[in-house]
Amino acid sequence: MAALFSKENRQAFIEPLSLNNPVLIQVLGICSALAVTAKLEPAIVMGLSVTVIMAFANVIVSLIRKTIPNRIRIIIQLVVVAALVTIVSMILKAFAYDVSVQLSVYIGLIITNCILMGRLEAFAMTNGPWQSFLDGVGSGLGYAWILVVVGAIRELFGSGTLLGFTIIPEACYEAGYVNNGMMTMPAMSMIILGCIVWAHKAYVSKNTK
């Protein structure tokens, strides 16, 4: 049991959450991070979908890594990811159809998500299944929490709601408060994400001195 949660394994899970975050540090997955964060619900679903797919893709590729011919390894990785994405897409359409419509083509585009392909190539191809699983979950959650923060800010200030529930009291609107329509525009997601990157770098820099 101790070996399962060794220092090396803990680092594989924890580092992608902050110090090696795929969005903040590696600047990967930016397109989907900007595209699905107008509302909190699709941001959560997208983040969880990527986390599940990344975790299982890492495990599968790690298990078969020694049998994959080097010249077709990228093709094999794409096939694994495509199969998992298809399963997740079908589950969403069956149990969360409205959200799957909001996410539109972006669920399918997880197949080419550079975070996924990067971790498969850089980690799963050279590490065991358990470490690869932890790395996949950590990288997925590192991507997901960015989406959740951006989605929450945009929905709260753009619509006055979170997950469809009204958060800003009616009294505020009666006093003259107006929802910021700019928050629903794609450009604001980039501005908010830029502010998060700046705050994260400032925090990390301060704590490493």
Side-chain angles (χ1 to χ4, degrees):
M1 182 63 71
L4 291 177
F5 298 99
S6 64
K7 182 179 179 181
E8 185 179 15
N9 289 343
R10 290 198 304 271
Q11 284 181 333
F13 173 75
I14 293 172
E15 284 191 358
L17 297 175
S18 179
L19 295 178
N20 194 30
N21 188 280
V23 179
L24 301 181
I25 304 301
Q26 301 174 38
V27 198
L28 301 175
I30 297 296
C31 295
S32 56
L34 301 180
V36 302
T37 53
K39 298 285 184 180
L40 180 56
E41 186 178 20
I44 292 174
V45 173
M46 184 68 168
L48 290 177
S49 299
V50 169
T51 300
V52 170
I53 292 169
M54 189 175 299
F56 284 99
N58 264 17
V59 171
I60 294 170
V61 170
S62 177
L63 287 170
I64 64 174
R65 70 187 189 280
K66 294 182 180 179
T67 64
I68 300 175
N70 187 58
R71 65 181 182 278
I72 61 168
R73 68 187 189 282
I74 301 299
I75 297 174
I76 300 298
Q77 292 168 15
L78 283 171
V79 170
V80 171
V81 175
L84 292 171
V85 168
T86 301
I87 293 171
V88 169
S89 179
M90 293 174 67
I91 291 172
L92 287 177
K93 288 178 180 178
F95 298 101
Y97 182 75
D98 291 341
V99 178
S100 71
V101 171
Q102 292 181 57
L103 292 174
S104 184
V105 299
Y106 294 104
I107 286 292
L109 289 176
I110 293 176
I111 295 172
T112 56
N113 189 305
C114 42
I115 300 174
L116 262 165
M117 299 309 298
R119 297 320 295 166
L120 291 176
E121 183 70 10
F123 200 94
M125 288 294 291
T126 56
N127 289 276
W130 177 243
Q131 274 188 304
S132 297
F133 176 77
L134 292 176
D135 177 78
V137 173
S139 297
L141 292 178
Y143 167 83
W145 79 257
I146 302 296
L147 265 65
V148 168
V149 170
V150 176
I153 293 173
R154 292 182 68 191
E155 182 175 353
L156 178 61
F157 293 104
S159 305
T161 62
L162 283 178
L163 296 175
F165 296 99
T166 301
I167 301 298
I168 298 177
E170 187 64 30
C172 293
Y173 294 105
E174 294 175 357
Y177 177 82
V178 178
N179 290 328
N180 188 344
M182 287 187 64
M183 284 291 179
T184 62
M185 300 174 65
M188 284 306 300
S189 58
M190 184 169 291
I191 294 172
I192 295 169
L193 184 59
C195 291
I196 294 174
V197 170
W198 168 76
H200 179 264
K201 286 187 178 295
Y203 173 80
V204 170
S205 177
K206 179 180 179 181
N207 284 273
T208 53
K209 287 182 179 179

